[in-house]
Structures are given as structure tokens and as C-alpha cells.
Amino acid sequence: MTHGQPIAIELKQIDKRFGAVHANKYIDLKVPQGTIHGIIGENGAGKSTLMSIIYGFYHADAGEMTVNGERYKPANSQEAIKAGIGMVHQHFMLVETFTVLENIVLGAEDGWSYKKVLAKLRRNSKHWPKIMAWKSL
């Protein structure tokens, strides 16, 4: 625990190489529940590699991870999502500009239907009356 808060994600000695490139060198990190952390560094510092390991895109060569105190070793991104871990990718130009509805559908990891998306908007948006006024919906 850190400052009385349980640890949401803990990384211990995470190590990852791509051939001669040592992308992550024995990384330790604790993220207490309810906190937000930013990972910063120069291009090539290993930030995206580390996030990709947490999200299940890559597998660490060494080290271990826990999520909410449980050993965590995702085989893929679906397992990460089931564990409550999501990832916003830095390459925002991979898809064209979308409407609000299209963005919500894109993020509907549990499958989608038009009715589900509208219900989610109603529940989660204080701007629902403005959204309904948009003709594009």
C-alpha cells in the first residue's frame, strides 16, 4: 500500500529486449488505486513498449506484474480488458475523424448495438439533450 491506498498495478523488474535494443531495463512501478500517472521520456525511451506489455501486446522477457494484488500476465489485449485495463494509442491518425456516435461504437469493447450505445449516452452524458439535437445521430 502507498499512503494508505491499495495498489492497482505493480510492475517489478520488467525487462524487454528487441534484439540488441534494450527497450525496458528492469522497470519497477506502483500505481495506487484512484491515482493518475503519466509516463514521459524521449522518443525511443520505452514508454510505448512498457504500455504494450501491460496491455498484452508484448510479453516481458523478465519481471512480473500484479493488478489489484493478483498476478497478471495477459496473453492478449482481451485479457487486459477483462482485468480492467484499457489503452489509448498514441497513433491518432490510424482512423479518420469520427462522429461522437462512431467514437463510442469504436470504444464499445463488449460489442455494440445502436440501442446499447444510445442507452450508454443517456446514462453517462450530462450533454444528452444537446447530443439528441444533433442531426447526424
Side-chain angles (χ1 to χ4, degrees):
M1 303 197 22
T2 302
H3 302 287
Q5 294 175 291
I7 301 300
I9 298 174
E10 184 171 8
L11 311 179
K12 294 180 183 175
Q13 297 293 292
I14 298 296
D15 196 72
K16 180 67 178 171
R17 288 180 180 270
F18 296 98
V21 176
H22 204 169
N24 291 144
K25 190 173 183 178
Y26 307 111
I27 305 294
D28 290 322
L29 175 69
K30 287 184 183 180
V31 179
Q33 289 180 3
T35 64
I36 297 171
H37 288 242
I39 296 180
I40 60 172
E42 296 180 18
N43 288 343
K47 304 173 301 291
S48 293
T49 299
L50 186 63
M51 294 302 100
S52 293
I53 290 169
I54 295 170
Y55 196 57
F57 282 149
Y58 297 146
H59 301 281
D61 298 331
E64 66 179 56
M65 298 184 284
T66 59
V67 172
N68 297 318
E70 301 288 325
R71 186 171 162 81
Y72 172 73
K73 191 173 183 179
N76 52 48
S77 59
Q78 288 79 24
E79 288 185 12
I81 291 167
K82 286 178 187 173
I85 295 175
M87 183 169 170
V88 177
H89 301 274
Q90 68 181 7
H91 300 289
F92 59 90
M93 298 302 290
L94 294 177
V95 293
E96 59 190 79
T97 303
F98 282 163
T99 65
V100 170
L101 178 60
E102 290 168 328
N103 272 287
I104 292 169
V105 169
L106 182 64
E109 295 151 344
D110 59 345
W112 81 279
S113 73
Y114 188 70
K115 285 182 182 180
K116 276 187 187 178
V117 169
L118 290 180
K120 194 173 197 177
L121 277 171
R122 284 187 191 107
R123 279 192 317 271
N124 298 321
S125 179
K126 66 181 179 181
H127 303 292
W128 176 246
K130 293 177 192 172
I131 292 170
M132 283 310 295
W134 293 346
K135 301 298 181 195
S136 63
L137 286 177

